[in-house]
Amino acid sequence: MRCERFLFCLLLVAAEALPQATENVVLITVDGLRHQELFGGMDATILNSGEKAGIETLESLRAEFWRESPEERREILMPFFWNELVPNGVLLRSRIANPHRNSYPGYSEILTGQILPEISGNIDLQMPIETVLDIARRGLSVERHDVAAFTSWGHFSWIVEHQRGNIFVNAGYEKIPPALADAEMDRWGALQFEMRTPWDSVRHNAVTVGLALSYLEAHRPRVLFIALDETDEWAHARRYDRTVQAIRNFDESLRTLWTTLQSIERYRDTTTLVVTTDHGRGRTPDDWTSHGDDVEGCDETWIAIIGPDTPASGPTAQPARNAQVAATLLTLLGLEPSELGPESDLPIAAARR
């Protein structure tokens, strides 16, 4: 780690000689999206595993998403990600360090840059320390509504901030307050209760994205966090067909988000998008539905970055860690990553030219 810190300092000195263009950052996470599907598309071993896949209409799923090569499969599954985001940004294979390999510890690692012993599972505990979102608001000297989080999973009300009310949070089945809402946000706010998911604490990703985009256009936040969840829930339900479809929907949400950002003068060519997942999943037809400290492969993740300060490197062999995301976001905003504390991880060097 000492050698890595020295190397990062050298890279930082070189980067400071270049003008920094990033003024806004958007972090988007998709819960439990395995690297197997991200890099290889639909998984043949699961697709052909019968009841272990839980697929209702096999032939239609195969016709839509199956192709002979992994490269073709990943592009048909995630066309925006592979044809536009990755060629113009950087994609890294990553790992999580927390031993629990489930959601709250995973998001804690992403948002604080470190492993917190208090966060051992999906517990009802307010984040014990400041998150990168808290620090960004303070460091940028902006108002509460300028740092916003929109999440499909209601539990994020515990996760995204150290003290409630420091940033704007809309988590799970929740409407936007009248003081901040417009007609479009009200429409999405009502719709979420008319099209409930099978899960009491998780709304449809489409609602989360719709609310976030409406808020983006109305309030122009400097920092936006969007956390999507259906990929994880359908996998736990052993529905590989719905999981695959949720991945495709996620890709379309990425396209819509990036297109919207580039259509708004405030964000065009001044915004960096960071995309990642909180944990991996099992590798086999028996355990692809699961994650946790007893499931092999759950520490395997990925990180993608695109923005005006990020080189168009595409997939890179440089390893990364999810705990590096927080410091990376601060660095891109021109803030000191040391604000995260001495236990936090380093920024991702590949994120900046």
Side-chain angles (χ1 to χ4, degrees), residues 228-304:
L228 305 179
D229 192 75
E230 287 186 73
T231 43
D232 188 67
E233 299 298 339
W234 287 119
H236 283 310
R238 197 172 286 277
R239 288 293 304 273
Y240 194 60
D241 48 358
R242 294 292 181 89
T243 303
V244 168
Q245 289 155 357
I247 296 171
R248 164 63 72 77
N249 293 341
F250 165 66
D251 182 75
E252 188 57 34
S253 295
L254 282 178
R255 179 192 301 279
T256 303
L257 174 63
W258 188 246
T259 301
T260 301
L261 289 168
Q262 298 310 306
S263 71
I264 300 172
E265 185 176 358
R266 160 74 177 268
Y267 296 112
R268 186 186 309 118
D269 300 327
T270 62
T271 303
T272 294
L273 176 66
V274 179
V275 191
T276 189
T277 186
D278 56 329
H279 55 70
R281 317 190 73 82
R283 300 168 179 157
T284 73
D286 290 314
D287 64 11
W288 72 272
T289 63
S290 303
H291 55 86
D293 57 7
D294 59 344
V295 180
E296 291 295 325
C298 294
D299 61 329
E300 300 164 345
T301 56
W302 50 270
I303 301 169

